[in-house]
Amino acid sequence: MERMTTNPFYTSGIPVTVPSPLPSATLDENFPGLPDAQNVLMERELRRTPLLPHQSTVARMRGQLHPSTGSVGPLCSPQAVRFSSVSNPEQYTSANPYTSQTPSNGSSSAMVYGSHHEGLEPTYTDLPINVGPVWCPDHIMLEYSDDVPAGNNLTGISPIAATDELAKQTEWWTEFMNDDWKDIADNTGGAKTQPQAGPPVQPSTSVHQPASQQIVPIQLVEPSVVAAPSPSASSNTSKTRMRWTPELHERFVDAVNILGGSEKATPKGVLKLMKADNLTIYHVKSHLQKYRTARYRPELSEGSSERLDASKEELPSIDLKGSFDLTEALRLQLELQKRLHEQLEVQRSLQLRIEEQGKCLQIMIEQQCKPGADKVLDSSTSAEGSKLSSDPQESSTVKDVPNYSQNGTAAEAGAIIDERLLYVYDTNHYYDESL
Amino acid sequence: MKFGKRLKKQVEESLPGWRDKFLAYKRLKVLVRLVSADHRSGSSSPHRAAAEAAFVRLLNDEVDRFNAFFLEQEEEFIIRHREVRETAKAVADDEQRQPSEMRKVRREIVDLHGEMVLPLNYSAVNYTGLAKILKKYDKRTGRLLRLPFIGEVLKQPFFTTELMSRLVRDCEATMEAVFASSASRDPWTSTNAEMAPIATEQGIFRNTVAVLVAMKELRSGSSTYGHFSLPPLASEPALPEQSLLLSIQVAEIFPI
């Protein structure tokens, strides 16, 4: 399946992941009781024999994760290893794009400035399943290092003896955070499997925690991790990016102007002036970069506006009979865009409503199921009876029920629930009649 | 046409930088197939569990990817929108403005407007894909993943597009301001359908058209219409738009 290895979706290699709740749930149970977790992991490990070679690689890498090394490189390796270890045994791959990513692909600035915010978190979500207990303590340590700079507290994670290690690691982290990302990237390039992934990854981990905080006060968005069937309370481990708003941006611009313009302003200065909670220097840095780019281009074009006008570079194919035709074309474009926007809005509100109705249905059916559960057992005979003697109206409602379950609303669990619903409906009718 | 194919087509039509940002629908489908295959053959549950775990993991990864990309786009547009607004204000206030400047500003605004609508489409397409694949998953495995998952998706940054929408509308307002100031010079006449083929040269416009067409196809009525399907796209009474779309499609086949 060529799709597997050369998935076009991942070629640019922006690895953006967040631990899913399902594995995160395992994380949560890992923290309080390591020994038990380790046993669980060992069990799982046994089932995944192909992973052993990878596991040893990870273990080796693991050793390098100690803060004393002080180098950036080792931290990238587990990430690389993780992907390869995950992909190969499971034969579902997105391995190659991750391991071979280079920052020089198209959106390079995005890469460097933390558009991929997977950080080290995803590593942890995968490894509990795939790799043995070797992995655990380090995971916890690094998890803390994510938190400490931002001052977040991961719920449900009990402090572990590694706190001293933690403090050391945090210091080491903050040292790095004060450096320029690009310098780090340049220095460590080429030597390791994923040189470019490393440096951006590390600072971005600290970015994520504040990001999750940032989102709450400023915007409507919950920084919650997307839920799996077993919903978990691990929203604090989400690595969502910082969500900028126009208001925040306005403050940013004010700060920049105070400092003398986009060229003169430094991220540190801007950060100080802005006095925004949970805004890190990395957020500001990347934002400043974007700001500079946005301003630079218009200035360029303004300077050469006469040239443009003369050469008609913008629209080579339009015979400019004055500004009239161009305006018409623009208007056309605008109208179409407006149309699209409108349609998208409508679609979105419809989708929201559909989901809401789905939820309501689920609640309704659940409510019916619960009281109906006992009745199913007791009054099965009477249900039978009422079923047989059901009038057309009843039978039509009964018919609706299987439809619902087939279409995938709340009762999507198959034939058994279909039948139970039938009984519930019938017994309800039965009860109505008795009243 | 199946969703997978339509998605692929849309991805191809999209701007180069976007092509790898869309949902990995096919890959998810493969996973679903693997999960259900295991299920049916009754093979050892670790394999099935692995497939399921991989599926969920991929789903989560995808959502995170969407979030990251969308937030990045949002941030850029916040910045650019403000800049354009400042520029527009400056040009509108400037008494000695050149027609070329006006043209430039207008063009900038319109392009920005178009670009800002694209992330909204991105969000919609990916959401649709997610909903579809989840429906398939539930159907094949008998699990109840869809509802809670989609519930979470609805709260995700990439789907909470209110801010983006607001920016688009602000852009329109800015446009009105700029265009209105020189209404006397450039009277609005009825849209000229002949302009359409020429307009397709411009990247954003072309993309917008492609998106509209794709949307229309996607919403044209489903074979598996159910309680969670969207109704068909309302046929617009604006006939000029229809013919416009057709002429654009023709122009795309025979680029000028």
Side-chain angles (χ1 to χ4, degrees):
Chain A
M1 287 180 146
E2 85 282 356
R3 255 292 184 182
M4 295 295 209
T5 47
T6 58
N7 190 328
F9 291 123
Y10 285 100
T11 43
S12 88
I14 295 187
V16 171
T17 54
V18 165
S20 63
L22 187 54
S24 306
T26 9
L27 285 180
D28 283 336
E29 57 194 43
N30 277 347
F31 294 140
L34 266 178
D36 294 333
Q38 285 186 6
N39 290 335
V40 171
L41 290 168
M42 290 294 281
E43 277 178 41
R44 291 191 203 165
E45 180 54 29
L46 287 169
R47 281 192 236 127
R48 307 203 181 218
T49 45
L51 276 162
L52 285 174
H54 297 280
Q55 186 201 3
S56 59
T57 328
V58 173
R60 222 189 314 126
M61 298 296 185
R62 190 60 44 202
Q64 298 174 2
L65 273 179
H66 265 273
S68 50
T69 57
S71 74
V72 169
L75 265 166
C76 17
S77 334
Q79 186 181 353
V81 172
R82 165 183 85 96
F83 280 106
S84 53
S85 71
V86 165
S87 59
N88 293 341
E90 296 182 353
Q91 294 154 17
Y92 320 120
T93 77
S94 62
N96 297 330
Y98 284 120
T99 52
S100 61
Q101 67 173 327
T102 55
S104 54
N105 282 346
S107 49
S108 53
S109 66
M111 284 275 300
V112 173
Y113 285 102
S115 70
H116 49 279
H117 49 249
E118 66 164 30
L120 296 159
E121 257 305 303
T123 323
Y124 306 137
T125 64
D126 286 326
L127 290 177
I129 298 175
N130 300 327
V131 183
V134 180
W135 169 88
C136 285
D138 291 323
H139 157 74
I140 296 155
M141 272 167 49
L142 288 164
E143 179 98 42
Y144 271 108
S145 72
D146 293 348
D147 286 334
V148 172
N152 268 6
N153 285 320
L154 291 175
T155 59
I157 296 172
S158 54
I160 299 172
T163 333
D164 290 340
E165 285 285 310
L166 213 54
K168 266 192 240 165
Q169 188 133 26
T170 323
E171 273 178 34
W172 176 66
W173 275 101
T174 32
E175 272 178 34
F176 269 104
M177 281 169 359
N178 289 335
D179 296 338
D180 191 5
W181 284 22
K182 274 184 179 157
D183 291 340
I184 296 171
D186 290 339
N187 289 341
T188 57
K192 315 286 177 180
T193 340
Q194 271 195 307
Q196 280 77 16
V201 162
Q202 296 156 21
S204 65
T205 50
S206 63
V207 162
H208 302 315
Q209 287 305 335
S212 62
Q213 286 256 338
Q214 176 70 45
I215 290 171
V216 172
I218 286 200
Q219 261 292 9
L220 24 114
V221 175
E222 277 183 34
S224 60
V225 176
V226 179
S230 51
S232 81
S234 59
S235 57
N236 42 29
T237 58
S238 76
K239 297 280 195 224
T240 48
R241 294 186 87 225
M242 169 74 168
R243 194 165 201 185
W244 283 84
T245 66
E247 292 75 31
L248 191 64
H249 178 64
E250 204 61 38
R251 281 165 66 184
F252 171 86
V253 171
D254 290 341
V256 165
N257 290 335
I258 290 172
L259 291 172
S262 58
E263 294 301 317
K264 282 193 188 153
T266 66
K268 241 182 199 169
V270 172
L271 183 64
K272 272 202 189 130
L273 273 175
M274 279 180 77
K275 287 183 217 135
D277 295 332
N278 307 313
L279 192 64
T280 71
I281 194 158
Y282 286 99
H283 293 140
V284 175
K285 215 171 197 170
S286 78
H287 198 75
L288 186 63
Q289 172 85 354
K290 293 194 167 110
Y291 186 67
R292 283 180 183 153
T293 316
R295 287 182 76 84
Y296 184 62
R297 278 205 213 102
E299 280 167 18
L300 258 184
S301 55
E302 260 169 39
S304 56
S305 62
E306 292 134 12
R307 252 191 296 129
L308 272 174
D309 196 25
S311 63
K312 299 165 192 167
E313 277 173 18
E314 293 174 7
L315 299 161
S317 57
I318 287 190
D319 181 22
L320 275 174
K321 302 167 194 168
S323 54
F324 179 78
D325 291 336
L326 173 54
T327 307
E328 275 313 298
L330 279 180
R331 187 164 201 274
L332 205 69
Q333 182 177 343
L334 183 64
E335 283 308 308
L336 216 60
Q337 285 162 187
K338 270 186 177 167
R339 243 309 264 302
L340 176 57
H341 182 218
E342 204 182 291
Q343 289 299 326
L344 287 169
E345 296 262 273
V346 166
Q347 182 168 313
R348 185 158 178 272
S349 64
L350 275 173
Q351 281 166 339
L352 281 169
R353 260 203 294 164
I354 286 174
E355 289 304 322
E356 253 182 68
Q357 282 179 355
K359 269 194 213 149
C360 284
L361 275 166
Q362 182 184 30
I363 292 170
M364 268 167 50
I365 291 177
E366 270 172 14
Q367 281 172 354
Q368 283 190 342
C369 264
K370 277 191 196 136
D374 322 326
K375 296 171 201 164
V376 167
L377 299 168
D378 296 344
S379 57
S380 54
T381 43
S382 44
E384 286 279 327
S386 64
K387 224 163 120 182
L388 286 169
S389 60
S390 61
D391 52 0
Q393 195 189 6
E394 237 184 75
S395 58
S396 63
T397 48
V398 160
K399 266 190 221 148
D400 282 343
V401 171
N403 266 345
Y404 275 164
S405 35
Q406 276 165 24
N407 279 336
T409 53
E412 303 177 20
I416 299 169
I417 295 202
D418 285 352
E419 285 186 71
R420 287 185 58 175
L421 282 170
L422 283 173
Y423 281 130
V424 165
Y425 261 77
D426 287 327
T427 50
N428 278 344
H429 283 284
Y430 174 77
Y431 268 74
D432 284 342
E433 285 160 25
S434 66
L435 286 172
Chain B
M1 231 207 290
K2 288 196 157 187
F3 178 80
K5 285 209 187 108
R6 272 206 213 99
L7 175 65
K8 195 172 172 187
K9 192 159 169 250
Q10 245 202 56
V11 167
E12 283 165 15
E13 299 271 338
S14 63
L15 299 170
W18 290 54
R19 298 220 177 113
D20 56 348
K21 304 290 192 295
F22 283 87
L23 179 68
Y25 187 72
K26 200 157 186 188
R27 189 128 55 94
L28 285 163
K29 249 174 82 173
V30 165
L31 281 176
V32 170
R33 223 178 289 150
L34 276 163
V35 171
S36 53
D38 283 341
H39 190 194
R40 271 197 294 263
S41 65
S43 63
S44 58
S45 84
H47 285 266
R48 173 145 177 251
E52 285 187 5
F55 180 79
V56 173
R57 194 163 39 238
L58 182 56
L59 276 181
N60 285 314
D61 288 354
E62 288 292 278
V63 170
D64 301 328
R65 234 161 48 95
F66 301 156
N67 283 337
F69 184 64
F70 186 84
L71 287 178
E72 197 193 312
Q73 292 286 308
E74 200 182 55
E75 187 181 342
E76 278 192 33
F77 284 128
I78 288 175
I79 296 174
R80 281 172 66 187
H81 172 73
R82 193 187 173 279
E83 293 306 306
V84 162
R85 219 179 41 205
E86 295 290 304
T87 316
K89 251 192 270 177
V91 171
D93 292 338
D94 184 12
E95 288 300 321
Q96 296 170 350
R97 55 178 174 252
Q98 308 275 334
S100 61
E101 264 181 57
M102 287 290 294
R103 261 203 300 276
K104 238 172 20 72
V105 167
R106 279 198 203 121
R107 197 208 164 66
E108 232 181 290
I109 298 177
V110 173
D111 278 348
L112 183 66
H113 180 269
E115 279 183 66
M116 290 206 288
V117 176
L118 295 179
L120 295 174
N121 172 61
Y122 172 82
S123 164
V125 165
N126 287 328
Y127 175 83
T128 308
L130 282 176
K132 278 181 167 321
I133 199 72
L134 280 166
K135 186 175 164 189
K136 282 197 214 295
Y137 178 85
D138 279 4
K139 197 168 160 196
R140 301 274 217 126
T141 64
R143 293 229 197 279
L144 292 171
L145 177 55
R146 188 187 171 289
L147 208 57
F149 199 93
I150 279 289
E152 286 302 313
V153 167
L154 291 177
K155 301 184 213 156
Q156 293 299 306
F158 87 91
F159 196 71
T160 49
T161 56
E162 289 90 0
L163 177 60
M164 207 69 226
S165 231
R166 198 188 95 198
L167 286 179
V168 172
R169 275 191 288 273
D170 285 352
C171 213
E172 288 167 21
T174 312
M175 199 119 50
E176 295 299 310
V178 174
F179 285 130
S181 59
S182 63
S184 53
R185 268 196 262 173
D186 307 301
W188 294 119
T189 62
S190 58
T191 61
N192 190 357
E194 289 168 13
M195 297 301 296
I198 297 167
T200 58
E201 292 293 323
Q202 303 155 35
I204 301 296
F205 188 50
R206 195 165 183 278
N207 203 213
T208 309
V209 168
V211 164
L212 266 175
V213 169
M215 222 174 117
K216 191 159 159 277
E217 285 174 3
L218 195 67
R219 297 268 303 272
S220 60
S222 153
S223 56
T224 54
Y225 187 77
H227 294 266
F228 285 91
S229 307
L230 288 167
L233 204 60
S235 52
E236 298 302 318
L239 290 171
E241 306 264 3
Q242 290 284 358
S243 58
L244 176 63
L245 275 175
L246 285 171
S247 62
I248 287 169
Q249 282 175 296
V250 168
E252 282 185 348
I253 299 169
F254 306 103
I256 295 169

